[in-house]
């Protein structure tokens, strides 16, 4: 009996021993997770940041690529700096900057690495690499810096910079860490997820001083970083750079679209800046300088600026009036009884009215449209007619976002019945005499340049548009683009009604409101001039506008040009547009006299005393303070923005029909 109990006890001890041996064998031989855990002091986990995808133009020319650099991270709890002044001299920073950077790192986390200095060149890193061994807690990481060889398209591209604290806190799924780079504004932000790639992880062996001694277990646990996908745009880099040169010393924008596809060919925001300024370790200093620049170069004017469209809006009026049945190609109106003056003379048909931009003609066109509903009540008729007009104009993309592939597009303003009811404090408190300036694109209308370029594309296509977009392909041309950018959006205008309008647009260039030099041989440019009122500065400083397309049949390019403070629409804006269109269609510039004239023009008003008139600079500065954005991303840049109270109609009754 006793012998049996002894064997049972011995067996129990042996069983427990075997269990312990088996467990130890599993932990020490089979399960590598414990090995990694026990090696945490000698094995280091290094995050591999992938290269961002590169950006190309429509012809495969490189717009953005990556340059290898090094970022220096610090872990405050592990930091040991024997000689702070020597360290600062080595890093080319001041003691004050050192203290500030360390305080930021401690605030983030004493135990986690955070960015100390970024984008050290290969030469700078080679200079400090050996010395870093004496300063514990600092570690370099391979990174890359965006480089812009073409020095153009800054506003549309956006920039890459360190992620903000707010963005870190608000990210839906955890991906970014303190010190990571992320795209801001423009295409860099819009296509962040495809450009950023997929990060990898690498485990390395290190000694007690933090010096890397090789890969851990031959990289068995490593994961490879996957580079971001390349982005191919519809931009024509050659034409883009040429348009930049034409807009030197000017404020405004040039936006060109391929009508058949909606691809954006040219996107100029003037004045602009070299995108390389925001792609260096001096980002903060350069950004502050740009932010303080009175010309607001950080604003992407083609999609963020709002202007009154002026006489370019007459094209929409002509199309809607014909579709409604209140206007015919042979309809003629005299100037008699119109509150608007005009620079042209005599009775005009529709094509002639477009060609010579007749204000009284389109006053009567708009009036007939508003009262075409037949209601005898003047106040009610105005409301019904305006609502019908509003619904028709909205189909052209006015007063709403077009849905372009940039994160900062603004709606502009298309006044509705509710809008005027609110302004005039009640229903039927306003009538046609309060809104007639809409007939020539003034009053409360606010439109961005890209919307007017899209109007030109609609006319070029005889009735439809594809939402304008920058991207032509992700990974490869024609792949990965949102299906929205293949959809045709109809404006519900019968194609037959475009004929008289296009005839007038061609006439405007050949012998109408456009300067003769802009009628370039073999281009067949069709266009409409506009002069957007700048009442606070006087008509001498109105904004010059031109929209158009070419050639007449099978159009290849639609364009809108805004030149602020340049006056007559047929000169400054039309000249720029004609040269850009010629360069795109011919691949060269033959109109050398026009080219020379445009490049010599300078419309940068608020520098010094203007025109020899003391005090005008103050007036311009005051105007810009009222009409420009206070920040680069939240509010639209408004030139002659719609006021909060009823507009004085006396300003719109002048000659402003170019």
């Amino acid at each position: 009996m006793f012998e049996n109990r002894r064997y049972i006890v011995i067996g129990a001890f042996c069983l427990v021993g075997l269990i312990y041996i088996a467990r130890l064998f599993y932990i020490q031989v089979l399960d590598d997770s414990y090995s990694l855990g026990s090696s945490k002091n000698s094995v280091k986990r290094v995050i591999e940041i992938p290269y961002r995808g590169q950006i190309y133009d429509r012809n495969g020319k490189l717009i953005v690529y990556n340059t290898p650099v090094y970022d220096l991270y610090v872990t405050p709890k592990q930091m040991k700096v024997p000689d702070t002044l020597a360290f600062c001299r080595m890093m080319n920073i001041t003691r004050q900057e050192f203290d500030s950077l360390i305080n930021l790192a401690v605030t983030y986390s004493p135990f986690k690495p955070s960015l100390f200095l970024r984008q050290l060149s290969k030469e700078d890193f080679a200079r400090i690499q050996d010395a870093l061994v004496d300063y514990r807690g600092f570690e370099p990481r391979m990174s890359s810096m965006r480089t812009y060889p073409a020095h153009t398209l800054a506003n549309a591209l956006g920039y890459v910079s360190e992620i903000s604290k707010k963005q870190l806190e608000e990210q839906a799924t955890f991906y970014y860490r303190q010190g990571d780079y992320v795209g801001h504004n423009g295409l860099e932000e819009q296509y962040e997820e495809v450009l950023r790639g997929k990060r990898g992880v690498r485990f390395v062996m290190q000694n007690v001083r933090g010096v890397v001694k090789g890969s851990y277990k031959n990289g068995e646990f490593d994961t490879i970083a996957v580079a971001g996908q390349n982005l191919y745009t519809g931009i024509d880099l050659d034409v883009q750079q040429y348009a930049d040169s034409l807009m030197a010393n000017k404020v405004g924008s040039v936006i060109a679209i391929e009508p058949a596809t909606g691809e954006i060919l040219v996107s100029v925001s003037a004045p602009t800046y070299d995108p390389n300024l925001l792609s260096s370790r001096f980002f903060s200093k350069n950004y502050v300088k740009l932010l303080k620049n009175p010309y607001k170069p950080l604003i992407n004017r083609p999609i963020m600026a709002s202007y009154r469209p002026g006489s370019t809006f007459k094209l929409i009026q002509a199309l809607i009036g014909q579709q409604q049945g209140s206007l015919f190609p042979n309809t003629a109106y005299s100037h008699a009884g119109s509150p608007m003056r005009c620079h042209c003379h005599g009775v005009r048909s529709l094509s002639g009215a477009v060609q010579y931009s007749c204000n009284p003609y389109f006053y009567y066109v708009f009036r007939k449209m508003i009262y075409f509903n037949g209601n005898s009540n003047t106040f009610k008729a105005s409301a019904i007619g305006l609502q019908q007009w509003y619904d028709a104009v909205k189909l052209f993309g006015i007063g709403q976002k077009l849905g372009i592939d940039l994160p900062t597009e603004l709606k502009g303003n298309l006044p509705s019945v509710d809008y005027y009811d609110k302004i005039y404090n009640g229903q039927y408190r306003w009538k046609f005499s309060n809104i007639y300036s809409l007939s020539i694109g003034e009053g409360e209308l606010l439109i961005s340049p890209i919307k007017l370029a899209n109007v030109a594309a609609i006319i070029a296509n005889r009735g439809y548009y594809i939402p304008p977009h920058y991207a032509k392909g992700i990974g490869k041309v024609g792949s990965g683009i949102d299906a929205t950018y293949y959809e045709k959006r109809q404006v519900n205008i019968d194609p037959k009604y475009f004929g008289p309008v296009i005839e007038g647009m061609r006439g405007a260039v050949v012998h109408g409101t456009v300067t003769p030099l802009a009628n370039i041989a073999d281009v067949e440019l069709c266009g409409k001039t506009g002069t957007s009122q700048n009442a606070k500065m006087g008509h001498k400083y109105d904004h010059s506008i031109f929209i158009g397309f070419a050639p007449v049949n099978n159009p290849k390019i639609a364009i809108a040009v805004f030149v602020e403070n340049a006056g007559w629409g047929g000169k400054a804006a039309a000249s720029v547009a004609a040269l850009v269109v010629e360069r795109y269609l011919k691949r060269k510039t033959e109109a050398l006299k026009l080219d020379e004239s445009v490049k010599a023009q300078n419309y940068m008003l608020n520098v010094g005393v203007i025109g020899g008139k003391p005090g005008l600079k103050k007036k311009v500065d005051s105007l810009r303070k009222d009409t420009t954005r206070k920040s680069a991303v939240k509010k639209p840049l408004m030139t002659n923005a719609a006021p909060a109270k009823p507009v004085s109609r006396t300003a719109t009754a002048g000659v402003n029909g170019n």
Side-chain angles (χ1 to χ4, degrees), residues 55-57 61-65 147-150 153 157 233 237:
I55 301 178
Y56 296 84
D57 85 334
K61 294 181 179 179
L62 197 58
I63 300 175
V64 186
Y65 69 93
T147 304
Y148 306 85
L153 215 63
L157 290 171
T233 70
L237 190 56

Side-chain angles (χ1 to χ4, degrees), residues 137-213:
F138 293 90
E139 57 173 314
R141 295 182 186 177
M142 190 75 170
S143 182
S144 62
M145 179 178 72
R146 295 300 250 178
T147 304
Y148 306 85
H151 304 277
T152 186
L153 215 63
N155 303 86
L157 290 171
Y159 54 89
V160 176
S161 66
E162 185 179 349
I163 191 168
S164 67
K165 182 179 180 182
K166 183 179 180 181
Q167 287 175 307
L168 276 174
E169 294 171 349
E170 293 180 353
Q171 56 182 324
T173 56
F174 181 76
Y175 178 85
Y176 298 102
R177 305 160 303 147
Q178 178 75 16
D180 281 351
Y181 300 152
V182 64
H184 292 275
N185 297 333
L187 296 173
E188 293 281 14
E189 179 177 335
Q190 183 73 22
Y191 292 98
E192 167 68 15
E193 291 189 10
V194 297
L195 287 171
R196 73 187 181 191
K198 184 178 181 181
R199 62 165 53 105
V201 179
R202 182 167 54 92
F203 295 94
V204 296
M205 300 291 293
Q206 63 181 10
N207 63 17
V208 293
R209 302 193 70 181
V211 178
V212 174
K213 292 298 183 181

Side-chain angles (χ1 to χ4, degrees), residues 309-601:
S311 292
T312 60
F313 195 74
K314 294 172 183 176
L315 300 175
I316 296 178
Q317 306 282 43
L319 293 169
I320 294 174
Q322 290 182 92
Q323 183 66 39
Q324 184 190 53
S326 60
L327 176 65
F328 300 94
N330 61 352
T331 298
Y333 289 115
S334 70
H335 294 183
S338 169
M340 295 182 175
R341 292 177 294 167
C342 190
H343 50 75
C344 64
H345 303 284
V347 178
R348 302 287 178 187
S349 65
L350 176 55
S351 294
V354 171
Q355 178 178 344
Y356 295 104
S357 196
C358 181
N359 285 343
Y361 187 95
F362 284 96
Y363 165 81
Y364 285 115
V365 167
F366 186 56
R367 191 174 189 277
K368 186 70 175 291
M369 288 166 59
I370 295 299
Y371 290 116
F372 195 67
N373 55 80
N375 195 296
S376 59
N377 184 309
T378 301
F379 293 97
K380 190 172 183 180
S382 295
I384 295 173
L386 183 68
Q387 185 60 52
Q388 293 172 348
W389 173 87
Y390 174 89
D391 293 338
V393 174
K394 192 174 181 180
L395 293 176
F396 285 78
I398 310 301
Q400 60 185 308
K401 292 184 179 181
L402 291 173
I404 66 173
D405 52 345
L406 285 185
T408 50
E409 182 188 4
L410 300 179
K411 291 171 59 177
N413 187 53
L414 177 62
S416 62
V417 173
D418 290 340
Y419 180 90
Y420 285 115
D421 285 346
K422 184 177 180 180
I423 286 181
Y424 288 89
N425 299 317
Q427 190 177 22
Y428 305 144
R429 300 282 301 272
W430 55 272
K431 52 187 177 180
F432 181 77
S433 60
N434 300 118
I435 65 170
Y436 69 73
S437 61
L438 297 176
S439 63
I440 60 169
E442 295 294 339
E444 295 78 16
L445 273 170
L446 288 173
I447 298 179
S448 62
I450 195 168
K451 288 188 174 69
L452 280 184
N454 192 56
V455 169
I458 291 169
I459 299 173
N461 290 331
R462 276 66 169 177
Y464 72 88
Y465 71 94
I466 295 172
H469 54 283
Y470 288 85
K472 191 177 178 69
I474 297 173
K476 62 180 181 179
V477 175
S479 174
I481 300 300
D482 193 303
T484 301
Y485 302 126
Y486 295 104
E487 298 174 358
K488 290 184 179 180
R489 297 185 182 179
Q490 302 291 335
V491 296
N492 294 347
I493 303 291
D494 193 300
K496 67 183 180 183
Y497 296 133
F498 288 87
V501 173
I502 293 172
E503 180 184 345
M505 293 175 71
R506 180 62 184 143
V509 176
V510 175
H511 43 71
T513 55
V514 174
T515 181
L517 284 176
N519 183 25
I520 301 173
D522 303 322
V523 170
E524 292 187 322
L525 178 64
C526 301
K528 181 72 191 74
T529 58
T531 307
S532 181
Q533 286 190 353
N534 193 357
K536 289 185 179 181
M537 288 300 300
H539 291 301
K540 181 179 178 181
Y541 299 103
D542 284 343
H543 306 315
S544 178
I545 309 174
F546 179 88
I547 72 171
F549 63 88
V552 177
N553 298 310
N554 191 24
K556 303 296 183 184
I557 181 173
I559 191 168
V561 177
F562 283 72
V563 183
E564 293 186 18
N565 312 306
W568 178 39
K571 181 70 185 296
S575 298
V576 171
L579 288 167
V580 171
V581 170
E582 181 195 34
R583 175 61 71 95
Y584 179 71
L585 295 178
K586 295 183 177 181
R587 311 310 301 172
K588 60 183 178 179
T589 298
E590 295 178 343
L592 298 180
K593 185 176 180 180
L594 183 62
D595 173 88
E596 182 182 357
S597 172
V598 169
K599 289 179 178 177
Q601 293 166 356

